[in-house]
Amino acid sequence: MIKRNKFLNAFIILSFLSLLISCKSKDERIIISEIKKNGFVDLSVCCKDFDEIIIYDEGYYHDFHKDEWLGPKIYYFLDGKIEKVINLRCCADIPYGNFIVFYPFSNGKILLNRKDTIFYLTQIEKYKTGKILKLGKQKKDIQILSVK
């Protein structure tokens, strides 16, 4: 009976951890990896065929409505048509894992052309449960804030 309870507890913990990890898309993991490795990300790494990129800040992400994504989205356009969309997780209060925040937005979006796709890491907010990685168009010294 005790072994069964331990197995059940371990299964629940592993399921929860895999759920947290699986929330990130492959593209989001690539972006975070590039940021950690280089201190910046070139968004063209996620899509090679595009004319322009639009990053929309669409509000908060709701896990239970996958079709009605309300978090940040990165749209890749080719010849005026959407070539690819990347849904990024959004952080409401305290993050679990790493989250990406882009700025500056103008009217809720950031427009990029084919030659202008690099964002620099400008600030890291460290929490016990993760980090918020803030990315900007201008290269600056990275500020590191510890948040409790």
Side-chain angles (χ1 to χ4, degrees):
M1 188 69 163
I2 293 175
K3 282 187 179 184
R4 186 175 177 199
N5 285 342
K6 285 184 180 181
F7 176 76
L8 183 61
N9 287 340
F11 178 76
I12 290 170
I13 290 169
L14 288 174
S15 297
F16 179 73
L17 289 175
S18 69
L19 191 72
L20 285 176
I21 293 169
S22 67
C23 289
K24 290 184 188 177
S25 70
K26 176 185 168 194
D27 293 310
E28 189 174 4
R29 287 192 300 270
I30 288 169
I31 292 170
I32 288 174
S33 172
E34 288 292 313
I35 294 165
K36 286 181 174 181
K37 186 169 67 176
N38 303 320
F40 67 89
V41 64
D42 184 344
L43 292 181
S44 67
V45 74
C46 294
C47 184
K48 298 299 179 194
D49 299 320
F50 67 93
D51 297 324
E52 68 177 353
I53 298 173
I54 299 177
I55 303 173
Y56 276 107
D57 187 11
E58 299 191 3
Y60 292 103
Y61 157 64
H62 292 286
D63 195 25
F64 49 88
H65 286 294
K66 296 279 185 201
D67 296 332
E68 297 177 20
W69 191 275
L70 294 175
K73 287 185 178 184
I74 303 174
Y75 290 91
Y76 291 84
F77 288 88
L78 180 63
D79 297 328
K81 295 179 183 163
I82 297 172
E83 185 71 16
K84 182 175 187 174
V85 179
I86 299 175
N87 295 325
L88 299 176
R89 291 181 309 143
C90 190
C91 174
D93 293 314
I94 298 174
Y96 293 91
N98 295 310
F99 289 85
I100 306 166
V101 176
F102 292 99
Y103 71 91
F105 281 90
S106 176
N107 295 324
K109 62 187 172 186
I110 299 172
L111 301 172
L112 307 169
N113 63 38
R114 193 161 186 48
K115 297 175 187 159
D116 182 32
T117 58
I118 294 177
F119 279 85
Y120 298 96
L121 181 61
T122 61
Q123 183 175 315
I124 302 171
E125 291 182 18
K126 290 184 175 183
Y127 290 80
K128 287 181 184 175
T129 55
K131 297 175 187 160
I132 297 176
L133 307 172
K134 294 193 175 183
L135 303 172
K137 291 301 295 169
Q138 306 236 338
K139 191 172 184 178
K140 300 179 186 177
D141 290 337
I142 300 170
Q143 287 185 312
I144 299 175
L145 306 171
S146 293
V147 182
K148 294 184 180 189

